[in-house]
């Protein structure tokens, strides 16, 4: 194993917040590993950043009626803060829209181009005639040929997980217009992945059959057995890193070409700030490269990115890619589009000071080799029974008893006590498990030390022996203090916020992992500790019921055909309805109301008369846009004065899908004054 660790975590798409599935499957395990390697005094670079060039960003931007830059600026900030709030200790968290990333990605592409590593091909790509643009894979949906899902994307079916190309979809349609796209010729640059099959077979299939996780190894082997094909590394889009070639206007680098290069560009940003040489981490054999990802990214990190680096020639291959499976929520698949998730930023707001509870629960349920499940009831149990009942209880008893009987000074005891070996045992087990990416087992080993400490105190009962055998009581609390400090040291990669509290409580400094494993005495006789501080607090049923109800509300909302629709108003009787007089009408004139930015004054032909109506639509329409428009008017609404003008009726408007006000109008021109109802 190398003394230098280049650790990356999958770049989150900046089209939405981070949820617990992301945290459990990538970021918390990666953070535990990085923190642990720092404790081993390794030279660590822990790198990540927002992926801001994915098609999901442009889809979200179109949906919200804003620019892609608006979307990524918003969510980059939310994501970065969520990671900081939850103690994810990145050395650098950047973004793929940075100038440095553009430069590094283009340089990488140019190097491959100059080495003739690409195939330049004119091919037929799907084109939306109504939208007048080529369709990226994610803008094409159709029926999956593997499972029959009618809403599979052009690059992947999210139901069965099969990786696809748009040409494989049955009955493809454009997400932009809903129309059937046509095929149109365009030129792009392809990386012939088939040229790297022998290399990949030797490197992974032969070289990593023993040390890579079976879920990763099996998926890569399946891909290689099926045979690889050339894959386009450029796309016809207007959002992304521009292709740095003459005549390549309107083309950008494929997001899965530029995104992993982000690891390199972000490392360069970090190195420049910290006086490091980035090449030591990426181009030196004495460096371990570890990618933490979810299972849906295995092919990109184990086949496409390694093929790119091999084609470039200057980069070393990943040492390991410990991909995780998926985390479900309350026995249902987490879904951003259905809002079926526990969002990181909302958790931090609703559970202030309880970041470690989420870290602990997600680690204990980490989907290491198969999908796992998160439930709020399990979250409550993990907190109340384990963190409060075992971990917190032991720490509190030790600190309180030492203050009660020895004024907070660690008493003398047997420095060769057999029980002290439990600290070394726990530290060694945690190290062994983490080096093999077994986070759940490592967490259990840490908690077993707390369990042992509780059992030890229960057997020794220093609160009783202090009267008849004070020397025995002192020895018991001396040993218990060593275990508590051992726990304070070992828990840091998992529970960094609690570890910080424990350092203050026991008045100690952080030790290296080797010091924990080899030092028999972690806190000396005569050492003054501070007052006990509550590490964890019980989570009540009402808190959990609120979260469960929140999810139930989401289920109900998902049943709506329009989730944005407001609830139905109070029920009325038919006689109430007959009192309403709705008519067709035409706007004859329109003008702005003085000193009122939102108001327009209309003269409206109702078929019954010509009357004045004042409406707050000036921010959505100019007066000129309204003149001649046929509308619907509530005729028998009692008149009322608005800015000194008597308004006689109400024009009917609503919001369209983009949130813009639109008039409710007849589909065909009709006479004014016709009753509706």
């Amino acid at each position: 194993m190398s003394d230098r660790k280049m650790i990356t975590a999958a770049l989150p798409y900046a089209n939405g917040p981070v949820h617990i599935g992301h945290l459990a499957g990538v970021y918390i395990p990666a953070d535990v590993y990085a923190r642990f390697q720092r404790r081993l005094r390794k030279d660590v670079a822990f790198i990540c950043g927002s992926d801001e060039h994915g098609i999901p960003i442009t889809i979200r931007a179109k949906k919200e009626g804003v620019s892609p830059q608006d979307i990524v600026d918003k969510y980059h900030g939310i994501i970065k803060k969520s990671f900081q709030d939850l103690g994810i200790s990145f050395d650098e968290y950047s973004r793929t829209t940075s100038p440095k990333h553009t430069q590094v990605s283009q340089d990488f592409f140019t190097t491959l181009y100059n080495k003739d590593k690409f195939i330049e091909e004119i091919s037929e790509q799907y084109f939306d005639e109504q939208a007048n643009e080529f369709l990226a894979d994610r803008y094409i949906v159709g029926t999956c040929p593997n499972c029959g899902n009618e809403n599979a994307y052009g690059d992947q079916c999210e139901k069965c997980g099969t990786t696809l190309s748009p040409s494989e979809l049955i009955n493809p349609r454009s997400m932009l217009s809903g129309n059937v796209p046509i095929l149109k010729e365009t030129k792009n640059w392809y990386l012939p992945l088939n040229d790297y099959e022998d290399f990949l077979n030797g490197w992974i299939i032969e070289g990593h059959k023993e040390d890579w996780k079976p879920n990763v190894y099996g998926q890569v082997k399946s891909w290689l057995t099926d045979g690889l094909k050339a894959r386009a590394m450029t796309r016809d889009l207007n959002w992304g890193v521009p292709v740095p070639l003459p005549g390549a206007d309107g083309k950008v680098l494929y997001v899965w070409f530029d995104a992993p290069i982000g690891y390199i560009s972000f490392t360069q940003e970090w190195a420049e700030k910290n006086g490091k040489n980035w090449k030591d981490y990426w181009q030196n054999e004495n460096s371990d490269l570890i990618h933490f990802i979810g299972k849906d990214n295995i092919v990109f990190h184990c086949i496409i990115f390694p093929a790119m680096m091999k084609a470039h020639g200057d980069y070393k291959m990943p040492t390991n890619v410990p991909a995780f499976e998926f985390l479900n929520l309350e026995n249902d698949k987490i879904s951003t589009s259905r809002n079926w998730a526990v969002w990181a930023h909302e958790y931090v707001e609703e559970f202030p000071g309880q970041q470690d509870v989420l870290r602990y629960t997600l680690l204990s349920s980490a989907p290491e080799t198969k999908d796992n499940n998160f439930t709020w009831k399990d979250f409550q149990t993990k907190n109340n029974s384990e963190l409060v009942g075992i971990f917190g209880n032991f720490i509190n008893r030790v600190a309180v008893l030492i203050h009660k009987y020895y004024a907070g000074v660690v008493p003398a005891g047997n420095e060769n006590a057999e029980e002290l070996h439990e600290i070394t045992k726990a530290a060694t087990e945690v190290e062994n498990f983490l080096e093999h990416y077994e986070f759940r087992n490592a967490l259990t080993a840490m908690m077993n030390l707390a369990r042992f400490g509780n059992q030890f105190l229960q057997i020794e009962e220093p609160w009783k022996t202090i009267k008849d055998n004070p020397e025995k009581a002192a020895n018991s609390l001396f040993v218990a203090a060593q275990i508590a400090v051992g726990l304070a040291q070992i828990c840091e990669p998992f529970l960094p916020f609690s570890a910080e509290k424990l350092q203050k409580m026991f008045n100690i400094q952080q030790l290296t992992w080797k010091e924990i494993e080899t030092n028999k005495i972690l806190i000396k006789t005569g050492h003054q500790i501070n007052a006990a501080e509550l590490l964890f607090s019980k989570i009540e049923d009402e808190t959990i019921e609120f979260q469960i109800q929140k999810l139930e509300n989401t289920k109900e909302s998902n049943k709506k055909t329009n989730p944005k629709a407001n609830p139905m108003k109070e029920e009325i009787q038919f006689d109430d309805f007959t009192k309403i007089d709705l008519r067709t009408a035409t706007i004859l004139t329109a003008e702005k109301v003085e000193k009122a930015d939102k108001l327009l004054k209309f003269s409206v032909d109702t078929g019954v008369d010509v009357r004045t109506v004042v409406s707050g639509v000036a921010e959505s329409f100019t007066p000129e846009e309204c003149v001649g428009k046929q509308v619907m008017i509530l005729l028998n609404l009692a008149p009322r004065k608005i800015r000194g003008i008597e308004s006689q009726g109400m024009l009917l408007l609503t919001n369209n899908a983009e949130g813009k006000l639109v008039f409710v109008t007849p589909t065909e021109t009709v006479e004014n004054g016709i009753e509706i109802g």
Side-chain angles (χ1 to χ4, degrees):
M1 301 294 285
S2 170
D3 287 336
R4 186 176 294 119
K5 302 290 181 181
M6 180 67 242
I7 304 167
T8 73
L11 309 188
Y13 277 132
N15 72 324
V18 172
H19 57 61
I20 59 169
H22 301 130
L23 295 172
V26 177
Y27 304 108
I28 292 177
D31 181 63
V32 170
Y33 187 80
R35 287 175 177 275
F36 169 68
Q37 293 297 332
R38 294 187 190 111
R39 297 289 292 282
L40 291 177
R41 290 297 183 261
K42 303 289 186 179
D43 181 3
V44 172
F46 184 25
I47 305 296
C48 191
S50 299
D51 182 357
E52 301 184 343
H53 289 144
I55 290 301
I57 279 94
T58 58
I59 291 174
R60 174 60 71 94
K62 283 183 180 292
K63 185 177 180 181
E64 296 189 13
V66 297
S67 72
Q69 192 65 52
D70 291 331
I71 293 295
V72 299
D73 287 346
K74 173 183 177 181
Y75 288 111
H76 171 73
I78 292 173
I79 293 168
K80 185 175 183 180
K81 186 176 187 302
S82 292
F83 287 145
Q84 291 170 341
D85 288 343
L86 286 164
I88 310 298
S89 60
F90 294 124
D91 292 301
E92 183 72 23
Y93 188 83
S94 189
R95 55 196 306 189
T96 58
T97 54
S98 71
K100 183 71 174 179
H101 176 71
T102 297
Q103 173 229 314
V104 173
S105 299
Q106 290 181 329
D107 288 349
F108 199 111
F109 181 89
T110 302
T111 298
L112 268 60
Y113 180 81
N114 291 337
K115 288 186 173 185
D116 295 323
K117 297 297 182 181
F118 292 122
I119 300 170
E120 187 177 302
E121 285 189 3
I122 294 177
S123 62
E124 289 187 321
Q125 300 287 334
Y126 281 118
F127 184 84
D128 188 320
E129 292 180 291
Q130 182 176 327
N132 194 33
E133 63 180 85
F134 283 97
L135 296 172
D137 297 351
R138 279 261 156 173
Y139 277 143
I140 307 165
V141 292
T143 301
C144 173
N146 184 56
C147 72
N149 172 25
E150 295 182 355
N151 292 301
Y153 291 109
D155 60 351
Q156 188 178 45
C157 175
E158 294 195 340
K159 185 174 182 180
C160 68
T162 300
T163 301
L164 301 168
S165 65
S167 60
E168 293 176 288
L169 289 176
I170 302 166
N171 299 323
R173 61 189 186 278
S174 167
M175 284 186 64
L176 298 181
S177 65
N179 295 337
V180 176
I182 66 166
L183 288 170
K184 185 176 179 178
E185 285 191 345
T186 184
K187 180 172 69 175
N188 277 295
W189 288 266
Y190 291 72
L191 185 64
L193 295 175
N194 46 297
D195 289 353
Y196 301 91
E197 284 186 6
D198 289 344
F199 155 68
L200 292 168
N201 271 300
W203 168 52
I204 299 177
I205 305 307
E206 297 302 322
H208 287 294
K209 63 173 65 176
E210 301 298 331
D211 61 329
W212 279 26
K213 294 172 70 172
N215 58 324
V216 179
Y217 184 86
Q219 191 177 133
V220 174
K221 188 174 183 180
S222 175
W223 263 76
L224 291 171
T225 300
D226 290 343
L228 303 179
K229 300 175 183 177
R231 193 172 185 124
M233 295 292 116
T234 62
R235 290 287 191 271
D236 293 274
L237 283 172
N238 55 11
W239 177 252
V241 176
V243 174
L245 295 175
D249 294 343
K251 297 182 190 294
V252 300
L253 300 182
Y254 174 40
V255 67
W256 272 110
F257 185 91
D258 95 84
I261 294 173
Y263 300 140
I264 301 169
S265 67
F266 303 160
T267 305
Q268 291 186 28
E269 291 179 11
W270 166 76
E272 289 171 6
K273 296 174 190 173
N274 293 278
K276 302 275 190 177
N277 182 354
W278 71 270
K279 292 183 178 180
D280 288 342
Y281 299 85
W282 283 96
Q283 299 180 357
N284 189 321
E285 284 304 314
N286 187 33
S287 177
D288 288 332
L289 171 60
I290 300 106
H291 295 307
F292 281 88
I293 59 170
K295 68 177 177 181
D296 52 339
N297 288 342
I298 290 174
V299 62
F300 302 108
H301 287 77
C302 298
I303 292 180
I304 296 177
F305 190 37
M308 289 164 52
M309 294 196 291
K310 183 68 174 176
H312 189 287
D314 290 342
Y315 292 89
K316 74 182 299 295
M317 293 300 117
T319 308
N320 211 316
V321 185
F324 282 63
E325 300 292 296
F326 291 153
L327 183 74
N328 294 323
L329 170 60
E330 299 286 353
N331 302 302
D332 193 2
K333 182 179 178 181
I334 292 176
S335 170
T336 300
S337 61
R338 293 187 293 119
N339 194 30
W340 188 256
V342 176
W343 304 105
H345 66 293
E346 290 184 358
Y347 175 88
V348 171
E349 291 173 2
E350 294 169 3
F351 291 87
Q354 294 179 292
Q355 300 97 315
D356 280 347
V357 182
L358 186 64
R359 288 176 65 107
Y360 181 84
T361 304
L362 294 181
L363 282 167
S364 68
S365 304
E368 293 179 2
T369 55
K370 63 179 182 178
D371 291 356
N372 215 331
N373 191 45
F374 173 95
T375 71
W376 279 112
K377 285 292 186 184
D378 182 59
F379 169 85
Q380 182 186 26
T381 300
K382 288 282 195 306
N383 178 79
N384 293 355
S385 298
E386 298 178 24
L387 291 177
V388 175
I390 298 172
F391 193 117
N393 180 55
F394 171 64
I395 294 294
N396 187 67
R397 292 167 87 188
V398 172
V400 167
L401 289 172
I402 290 176
H403 270 280
K404 182 176 181 179
Y405 299 129
Y406 306 102
V409 176
V410 177
N414 180 8
E415 296 188 1
N416 294 305
E418 183 180 341
E419 291 83 4
L420 299 180
H421 293 297
E422 292 296 321
I423 303 169
T424 300
K425 176 186 172 186
T428 303
E429 286 183 350
V430 168
E431 178 175 358
N432 182 59
F433 286 131
L434 290 183
E435 291 288 17
H436 291 88
Y437 311 102
E438 297 178 25
F439 296 90
R440 293 167 68 176
N441 286 338
L443 189 74
T444 299
M446 183 270 290
M447 281 299 291
N448 282 342
L449 181 60
R451 290 185 175 92
F452 177 83
N454 270 318
Q455 292 167 0
F456 173 76
L457 278 182
Q458 207 58 39
I459 292 169
E460 293 291 301
E461 297 183 316
W463 51 89
K464 291 183 179 178
T465 59
I466 190 71
K467 299 172 184 176
D468 304 325
N469 192 345
E471 186 176 339
K472 177 176 169 58
N475 181 69
S476 299
L477 287 173
F478 171 81
V479 171
Q482 307 306 317
I483 296 171
V485 171
L487 197 58
Q489 296 286 353
I490 292 171
C491 81
E492 184 271 336
F494 311 100
L495 310 172
F497 298 94
S498 302
E500 188 176 348
K501 289 181 181 178
L502 287 167
Q503 285 181 37
K504 292 176 183 176
M505 192 187 306
F506 286 98
N507 193 20
I508 57 173
Q509 298 296 315
Q510 189 180 95
L511 302 176
T512 68
W513 210 263
K514 186 176 181 180
E515 288 172 328
I516 304 169
E517 291 178 320
T518 57
N519 289 2
K520 284 187 176 181
I521 305 305
L522 300 179
I523 186 169
K524 294 181 179 180
T525 296
H527 181 90
Q528 178 72 52
I529 69 171
N530 295 315
E533 181 182 349
L534 194 64
L535 285 181
F536 308 102
S537 56
K538 188 178 179 183
I539 295 175
E540 302 296 340
D541 291 344
E542 306 87 75
T543 302
I544 297 304
E545 289 304 323
F546 174 82
Q547 294 298 332
I548 292 173
Q549 186 58 51
K550 192 174 170 182
L551 290 174
E552 286 299 319
N553 294 342
T554 296
K555 275 186 182 177
E556 290 303 312
S557 179
N558 286 335
K559 292 177 182 178
K560 297 179 180 178
T561 56
N562 176 13
K564 296 180 181 178
N566 291 322
M568 183 181 76
K569 293 181 180 178
E570 184 180 349
E571 189 177 85
I572 63 172
Q573 300 300 316
F574 183 75
D575 288 344
D576 297 321
F577 175 72
T578 59
K579 296 176 184 177
I580 297 172
D581 191 349
L582 287 175
R583 304 281 182 121
T584 54
T586 299
I587 297 174
L588 301 178
T589 65
E591 60 184 83
K592 288 188 175 181
V593 176
E594 287 186 18
K595 299 180 182 179
D597 294 339
K598 296 182 180 181
L599 298 178
L600 289 183
K601 174 185 173 184
F602 297 110
S603 174
V604 183
D605 180 356
T606 69
V608 175
D609 54 21
V610 175
R611 60 177 63 190
T612 298
V613 176
V614 178
S615 184
V617 297
E619 292 181 336
S620 298
F621 305 98
T622 64
E624 294 74 20
E625 287 178 299
C626 301
V627 174
K629 185 175 288 293
Q630 192 157 54
V631 295
M632 296 187 188
I633 184 171
L634 178 57
L635 200 63
N636 61 338
L637 183 68
R640 66 180 181 130
K641 284 197 173 184
I642 303 175
R643 288 295 178 105
I645 304 168
E646 187 172 74
S647 181
Q648 302 166 300
M650 178 186 291
L651 302 183
L652 270 60
L653 295 101
T654 187
N655 295 95
N656 64 12
E658 286 74 41
K660 182 185 175 184
L661 279 175
V662 291
F663 286 102
V664 178
T665 63
T667 55
E668 297 178 5
T669 302
V670 295
E671 289 184 277
N672 294 327
I674 293 178
E675 294 180 70
I676 301 162

